[in-house]
Amino acid sequence: MLVLAGDVGGTKTALALAQGGTIIERRVFPSAAYTSLEALVSEFLGQRGKEISRACFGIAGPVSEDSVRTTNLRWVVEARSLERTLRVPRVTLVNDFHALAIGITVLPASDLAVLNDSPSDPKGPWVLIGAGTGLGEAVVVHTGNGYEVIASEGGHTDFAPRNELEIDLLRFLLKRHERVSYERIICGRGLVALYEFMRGRSPEAESSAVREEIARSSGDAAPIISGHGLAGDDPLCTQVLSLFVSIYGAEAGNLALKVVARGGVFIAGGIAPKILPKLLDGTFRSSFVAKGRLSPLLEATPVKVVLNSDAGLLGAAALAARLAL
């Protein structure tokens, strides 16, 4: 049985053919280069649509009645339209973090990095949060038949500043946006916004070398900022990355509190593996556990980083395979 799996994001879309839970072919496409998901998948499949039994796509956006308007793309994706265009008997759409949650359940320990080493309650709910083009969140609860995934758009909740610096950050962002959510900060573009904010506070702190590097970056300054922040060779980038990770940890702690995530917290998305040394240096954990009277609860909550970039694809493939049973 051949199934088609997709992990559809605002920046890139990963597609895979899988058999028996194993990915046998995989390609990554720039999402914005295509007018629709149908066009992108058609290029990947060629003439192989009739060979595929089922398909499942994890898509960054809220799914309702087998349809989703993507959050960071101008796509409207409909399952029935995909079935007709691709000649696949059944297509299912789920939120990308729904697929990711299923994928996490099959990952080996070697695909996870530990940020907070505490015992996990095997019956407790667990959560995942991940920054990339946007900020995804989901909640997973145990049932008598396995797991129930509750997809969430929690990344779009209102940003809550914790100190004078973050209050100034909120004021800075309100000049650009009518409303400021966590996703405005904890994502690739958010990292750039933080750099611009911190540079505005101390213009003399920006090095000419980094400024010129950013000018040559074709509009994607986030890897430059994070790279220098990780290397510690530029004070401004180092401060920016620390602020980014601190706010990331605070929101992860907020999510854990909302469901008392005794089963653990998983940090996913494309950014986390790239900045893993910074996540491991204590900055993230310090903000994660700083919850006043509830700090002991967070200190006892396990936190792990998902290192496998194919976790969402694996989850989508598993869901597609279930549909064929």
Side-chain angles (χ1 to χ4, degrees):
M1 180 181 64
L2 188 65
V3 300
L4 170 65
D7 184 8
V8 183
T11 301
K12 62 183 181 180
T13 293
L15 298 177
L17 295 174
Q19 240 172 2
T22 301
I23 292 176
I24 59 175
E25 184 178 346
R26 174 187 181 277
R27 282 183 64 189
V28 179
F29 300 82
S31 302
Y34 295 83
T35 57
S36 67
L37 182 58
E38 285 90 340
L40 191 156
V41 179
S42 294
E43 180 176 320
F44 173 69
L45 289 181
Q47 301 301 314
R48 291 172 298 186
K50 61 184 179 182
E51 304 170 12
I52 296 169
S53 302
R54 299 289 186 268
C56 178
F57 298 94
I59 303 179
V63 179
S64 177
E65 297 181 347
D66 293 323
S67 177
V68 56
R69 182 179 296 275
T70 56
T71 305
N72 293 302
L73 286 169
R74 295 180 178 179
W75 290 357
V76 175
V77 182
E78 297 179 338
R80 305 292 82 80
S81 173
L82 283 163
E83 288 171 353
R84 291 190 298 270
T85 302
L86 306 177
R87 296 172 295 148
V88 174
R90 186 174 176 187
V91 172
T92 296
L93 308 179
V94 297
N95 178 267
D96 59 335
F97 269 60
H98 184 147
L100 181 56
I102 299 301
I104 287 173
T105 65
V106 301
L107 293 181
S110 58
D111 283 345
L112 303 169
V114 177
L115 293 192
N116 195 42
D117 191 10
S118 295
S120 172
D121 179 352
K123 295 184 179 180
W126 50 279
V127 299
L128 55 155
I129 179 172
T133 305
L135 179 66
E137 298 184 0
V139 176
V140 184
V141 294
H142 291 268
T143 68
N145 297 318
Y147 301 98
E148 180 72 25
V149 181
I150 303 169
S152 166
E153 291 298 330
H156 294 278
T157 56
D158 298 312
F159 169 55
R162 301 167 293 159
N163 50 48
E164 292 297 329
L165 176 64
E166 292 181 12
I167 290 171
D168 286 347
L169 171 62
L170 177 60
R171 291 193 178 104
F172 172 83
L173 292 172
L174 281 172
K175 293 176 182 177
R176 300 183 171 191
H177 309 288
E178 186 174 322
R179 174 179 170 272
V180 178
S181 66
Y182 275 99
E183 183 170 283
R184 293 293 188 189
I185 301 166
I186 312 171
C187 68
R189 286 173 293 184
L191 186 62
V192 177
L194 288 178
Y195 181 86
E196 294 166 348
F197 164 66
M198 295 296 285
R199 180 184 62 192
R201 290 171 61 88
S202 304
E204 71 284 355
E206 184 180 41
S207 75
S208 58
V210 172
R211 181 171 61 248
E212 291 169 6
E213 196 175 347
I214 289 174
R216 298 192 302 266
S217 67
S218 302
D220 188 9
I224 295 169
I225 297 165
S226 61
H228 286 291
L230 285 172
D233 58 10
D234 181 84
L236 181 57
C237 291
T238 300
Q239 291 175 354
V240 168
L241 187 59
S242 288
L243 181 57
F244 178 88
V245 169
S246 179
I247 296 172
Y248 201 166
E251 172 58 3
N254 291 341
L255 178 59
L257 279 180
K258 288 172 184 175
V259 298
V260 188
R262 298 185 188 276
V265 176
F266 292 87
I267 313 303
I271 293 177
K274 297 174 184 175
I275 62 168
L276 183 60
K278 184 62 185 177
L279 292 175
L280 292 169
D281 76 357
T283 303
F284 184 100
R285 185 185 183 279
S286 177
S287 292
F288 178 80
V289 304
K291 301 300 180 186
R293 292 170 294 172
L294 274 297
S295 290
L297 175 64
L298 277 299
E299 289 169 355
T301 301
V303 182
K304 298 178 181 179
V305 179
V306 178
L307 303 178
N308 189 329
S309 61
D310 282 337
L313 274 180
L314 291 168
L319 288 167
R322 290 180 193 177
L323 295 172
L325 297 177

